[in-house]
Amino acid sequence: MALKRDLSLTSLTLAVVTGTIGSGWLFAPYFTAKIAGAGSLLAWCIGGLMAFLLALVFAELGSVVPSSGALAQIPLLSHGRLSGFIGGWAVWLSYVALPAIELLALLDYLSSSFPWLTVQINGSDQLTSAGHAVAVLLLILLCWINLNGVRSLARWINGLTWWKLIVPVGVALTLMLISSHWGNLQLPVGGTEGADVVKAVGSGGILFSLLGFRTAMDLAGEARNPSRDVPLAMGLGLGICLAIYLLLQLSFLVSVPPEDLTNGWHSLNLTAHGGPIIALAMGVGLTWMVTLLLIDAVVSPGATALTYVGVSARISWMMGECGLVPRALGQLNRQGVPHVALILSTLVSALMLSLGPGWQSIVSFLTSTLIIALATGPISLMALRRQLPYAPRGYQLPMASWLCPLSFVLATWAISWCGRNALEGAVLCIGIPTLLFVIHRRWLGIDMDVPSALWWPLYLGLLVLNAELFGDGGLVQLPQAGQLLVLAVMALGVMPLAVNSALAEASPHAQLEG
């Protein structure tokens, strides 16, 4: 029994859009404005450039590995089993928490009408017992939809995504027309301008919002023409979403009442009424928009959660197929859905619902974890060009010898911008399971291709060392340009070591189809 190839280019593009426009549009403009003020527009452009460059790298990788859960096996293909586990675990860890994040955002907005859903603890909204029960029931519903097969999932995605395209654009244009305080763009942030801009990219939710392009790769095994459609879907979907987010950010900046900015953008507080966009709408008397936003607070995060309940299962399914986790996770039901992996992902997402201290804190951690996984892309691409020179490529990255190092440097910067706590938490959550995995496989006598994975602890160790020395509260306070230079030198030093440590031939344990 195999996965069913029912997804068209339109469905893949809409999956990218629905994976990109979720809770991010409801919260990212607010947190980004608080951090960078008018500089948030530049921050979105920087984040967009990073996302586009990574998307170009993974467009080629996606055409070489046109299978669902491809992100879990690209490092396996180029660098062997241990690298495959590290990369796959990091991706799965970030994916399986995404439905929980989206549902937290959904219930946070709905708490303006149903206050029994959340409670304020230490300045952040957390779920009550009743709210937690509602979230778990919603997860079960999303799991049931996914269990009915990819064709059913595509129908839901296609219908919900058109709504998600129309509502944010309509809300942004309406707020700009009614509340046009263009002088807000001249107000100071209240901190160090350059540092605030780059911090907003990682901690404001920008990269969290824009990295949804990877959804097309996660569903590639169910695409009708993956080599052609996956790269196109990533480019089209990301372009559409970046344009919408820029419009939303501009609208938010000029819609905030000037009296709320007396002490600068850093002091802005729009946490009342369930969400910042609702607070703006209520402030100008747009009660109909409040109703629309409450509906969208269900649709946008709900549709994104629906998508990631499915794609997180496909990551663990592919890891099971490749022998990186128990093979039971590779089982498919009659609809061609990895049902064991899907149920496991749903259960873990349900457990994570009780761990959230706040949307922004979780987003910083998960963005750091995900970019650590994506950072292997440029390295694997260069290695696979040597290992699989004649493999069919529906798209080939031009000037790869320049763009791959550049994208690796940008990814390294982005990991640092997520913050010291997020980075250290991500490294800990990746490192401990990896150590247990190595011990278990060594006990079984299974070769783990350890030499090809040694660049991982070197890279992660240098990232943590840099954070301890030069990060917030570190021993040495470098200017922003100095920090970027140190990280760039570090990345450019690690990359050739990582590329040259790849396997002599592509790993036979990876699966290029399915």
Side-chain angles (χ1 to χ4, degrees):
M1 188 175 294
L3 295 174
K4 297 182 179 180
R5 295 191 177 273
D6 287 330
L7 296 180
S8 64
L9 173 60
T10 300
S11 292
L12 282 174
T13 302
L14 293 178
V16 170
V17 173
T18 203
T20 305
I21 301 179
S23 62
W25 93 267
L26 296 169
F27 287 99
Y30 168 63
F31 287 114
T32 304
K34 274 180 64 71
I35 295 172
S40 55
L41 293 171
L42 175 59
W44 279 102
C45 292
I46 294 172
L49 174 63
M50 289 181 165
F52 266 114
L53 194 50
L54 283 172
L56 290 176
V57 169
F58 281 95
E60 176 172 333
L61 291 171
S63 67
V64 175
V65 190
S67 61
S68 286
L71 286 176
Q73 62 166 328
I74 286 171
L76 164 66
L77 186 63
S78 62
H79 284 74
R81 289 179 172 180
L82 181 53
S83 283
F85 177 83
I86 295 171
W89 174 261
V91 171
W92 183 78
L93 182 64
S94 58
Y95 276 26
V96 80
L98 272 162
I101 287 179
E102 298 300 317
L103 291 179
L104 282 170
L106 184 158
L107 296 177
D108 195 13
Y109 260 73
L110 289 184
S111 66
S112 62
S113 297
F114 306 99
W116 48 270
L117 290 172
T118 62
V119 62
Q120 278 269 335
I121 299 178
N122 296 326
S124 66
D125 288 329
Q126 297 189 25
L127 296 179
T128 62
S129 298
H132 194 276
V134 171
V136 171
L137 289 174
L138 288 173
L139 272 176
I140 293 172
L141 172 63
L142 301 181
C143 179
W144 175 79
I145 293 171
N146 275 276
L147 285 171
N148 279 289
V150 71
R151 185 172 293 176
S152 171
L153 176 61
R155 285 196 298 267
W156 282 83
I157 288 174
N158 291 353
L160 294 175
T161 303
W162 288 113
W163 168 278
K164 293 174 67 171
L165 284 169
I166 294 169
V167 172
V169 173
V171 167
L173 293 175
T174 302
L175 286 175
M176 275 199 296
L177 289 173
I178 292 178
S179 184
S180 300
H181 305 294
W182 296 97
N184 290 352
L185 300 178
Q186 307 299 322
L187 293 176
V189 175
T192 304
E193 303 292 334
D196 289 328
V197 169
V198 297
K199 181 181 179 182
V201 176
S203 299
I206 290 177
L207 283 176
F208 167 80
S209 300
L210 292 178
L211 292 178
F213 70 81
R214 65 199 183 277
T215 310
M217 287 189 64
D218 298 319
L219 297 172
E222 290 137 294
R224 294 171 188 168
N225 190 349
S227 293
R228 183 202 68 183
D229 291 351
V230 168
L232 283 174
M234 287 196 292
L236 290 171
L238 183 55
I240 292 168
C241 293
L242 179 59
I244 291 174
Y245 274 117
L246 281 169
L247 178 64
L248 283 165
Q249 188 66 61
L250 177 61
S251 172
F252 186 89
L253 290 171
V254 302
S255 299
V256 176
E259 55 269 22
D260 289 348
L261 300 173
T262 304
N263 297 318
W265 286 100
H266 280 347
S267 301
L268 179 64
N269 186 8
L270 292 176
T271 57
H273 311 300
I277 309 294
I278 284 183
L280 287 180
M282 293 183 69
V284 294
L286 296 176
T287 55
W288 62 267
M289 183 179 287
V290 172
T291 303
L292 183 66
L293 286 167
L294 288 174
I295 296 172
D296 191 76
V298 175
V299 174
S300 287
T304 303
L306 171 66
T307 301
Y308 280 104
V309 165
V311 297
S312 63
R314 282 151 178 84
I315 294 292
S316 52
W317 166 78
M318 181 53 72
M319 293 179 73
E321 286 284 284
C322 297
L324 299 177
V325 294
R327 291 192 178 274
L329 294 175
Q331 295 180 11
L332 302 176
N333 65 9
R334 293 180 180 178
Q335 285 74 35
V337 173
H339 59 292
V340 177
L342 182 58
I343 293 170
L344 173 64
S345 293
T346 303
L347 289 174
V348 175
S349 294
L351 290 175
M352 288 187 173
L353 284 168
S354 59
L355 303 178
W359 187 88
Q360 188 182 18
S361 299
I362 306 177
V363 162
S364 297
F365 165 74
L366 289 181
T367 302
S368 180
T369 306
L370 180 58
I371 299 176
I372 286 173
L374 295 179
T376 192
I379 292 169
S380 291
L381 187 149
M382 297 302 295
L384 289 171
R385 284 197 172 182
R386 183 183 70 234
Q387 295 163 323
L388 299 172
Y390 304 112
R393 287 169 167 82
Y395 168 81
Q396 190 162 344
L397 179 70
M399 299 184 296
S401 59
W402 291 90
L403 292 181
C404 282
L406 176 59
S407 62
F408 189 62
V409 169
L410 292 178
T412 303
W413 286 352
I415 295 168
S416 174
W417 295 345
C418 291
R420 179 178 171 182
N421 291 336
L423 168 62
E424 293 176 350
V427 171
L428 190 65
C429 289
I430 293 170
I432 292 177
T434 299
L435 182 61
L436 295 175
F437 175 75
V438 171
I439 293 172
H440 175 66
R441 291 306 172 101
R442 283 288 190 184
W443 183 65
L444 294 177
I446 299 174
D447 181 23
M448 295 305 302
D449 306 307
V450 172
S452 295
L454 291 178
W455 72 270
W456 275 105
L458 173 64
Y459 180 59
L460 297 179
L462 288 174
L463 281 171
V464 172
L465 179 62
N466 174 79
E468 293 290 339
L469 291 177
F470 309 121
D472 295 338
L475 297 177
V476 180
Q477 292 300 311
L478 287 179
Q480 188 64 41
Q483 293 184 40
L484 296 180
L485 179 61
V486 169
L487 288 166
V489 170
M490 184 195 81
L492 293 175
V494 169
M495 185 168 183
L497 295 175
V499 173
N500 291 329
S501 70
L503 301 175
E505 298 180 352
S507 173
H509 303 290
Q511 301 195 19
L512 301 184
E513 299 289 341

